[in-house]
Amino acid sequence: MSPYKTNARILLVEDDPVVALLELRSLRENGYTVEHASSGRAAIEFVHPTGDSFDLILMDIDLGADMDGVEAARQILERGDIPILFHSSHTDPEVIARTEEVTSYGYVVKNTGMIVLDTSIKMALRLAHSRKQQKEHELALQVSERELRQAYDILRLTIDTM
């Protein structure tokens, strides 16, 4: 069984209606459940306050006047650890460098084709799955350490009272 969901829920953040329509269709044909937000503010509103509403966000950079994709990503990540994959036509180093200011799962240049985008999405989902497992293991380790300390303290008290 694959470690990531093939029918993952994706939030597509794209302000160009024609591009959005084409991407929605392509993503759905590849088995993804996709919602669309046409601005950074709309994307933020789509994301549940606990951050668990989408498996991945496919974020454009240039989203019009209200806010760009980097700022939208920053605000979304304040709500939770949602994988964000930047998807933009920008290839200039300054724009790409700005995406490095926030935690993301990659950068895919538009018009590279659905195979590249689909592969990048799957890689991002696998990475997110691995990060989630690592966090769960770390939490389990902390619980085990706490339980061991408690058992040790009980043992010391028992020995001391003998």
Side-chain angles (χ1 to χ4, degrees):
M1 185 172 160
S2 178
Y4 58 91
K5 298 192 314 186
T6 55
N7 64 340
R9 283 199 69 212
I10 295 175
L11 175 60
L12 172 65
V13 186
E14 172 61 59
D15 66 325
D16 184 313
V18 174
V19 172
L21 184 62
L22 292 171
E23 289 180 354
L24 281 166
R25 185 178 328 146
S26 294
L27 290 166
R28 287 175 179 155
E29 286 173 359
N30 278 277
Y32 299 107
T33 302
V34 188
E35 297 288 333
H36 172 242
S38 60
S39 71
R41 297 237 182 266
I44 294 165
E45 291 174 15
F46 256 101
V47 176
H48 191 272
T50 61
D52 62 357
S53 50
F54 292 96
D55 299 306
L56 182 126
I57 297 174
L58 193 56
M59 179 73 73
D60 188 16
I61 302 292
D62 188 9
L63 295 173
D66 76 335
M67 84 172 52
D68 68 5
V70 176
E71 181 57 31
R74 185 176 286 113
Q75 291 187 31
I76 287 168
L77 289 171
E78 290 174 2
R79 292 179 170 221
D81 189 16
I82 302 173
I84 295 176
L85 181 61
F86 286 104
H87 188 230
S88 179
S89 58
H90 291 285
T91 57
D92 45 312
E94 297 82 25
V95 172
I96 294 171
R98 286 195 58 240
T99 66
E100 295 173 1
E101 297 170 4
V102 296
T103 302
S104 74
Y105 285 70
Y107 191 102
V108 180
V109 178
K110 288 183 182 178
N111 299 322
T112 55
M114 191 59 204
I115 292 172
V116 172
L117 181 58
D118 185 46
T119 300
S120 298
I121 289 170
K122 289 175 181 174
M123 290 170 67
L125 291 170
R126 280 195 297 269
L127 179 57
H129 178 76
S130 294
R131 284 187 61 184
K132 182 178 179 183
Q133 280 187 318
Q134 180 182 1
K135 286 180 182 179
E136 289 171 356
H137 290 304
E138 288 171 358
L139 182 60
L141 183 60
Q142 289 172 357
V143 169
S144 295
E145 287 175 2
R146 193 168 33 252
E147 290 171 348
L148 279 171
R149 276 193 219 106
Q150 289 172 345
Y152 176 78
D153 290 343
I154 290 170
L155 183 61
R156 293 269 304 156
L157 283 173
T158 304
I159 291 172
D160 289 345
T161 58
M162 293 178 113

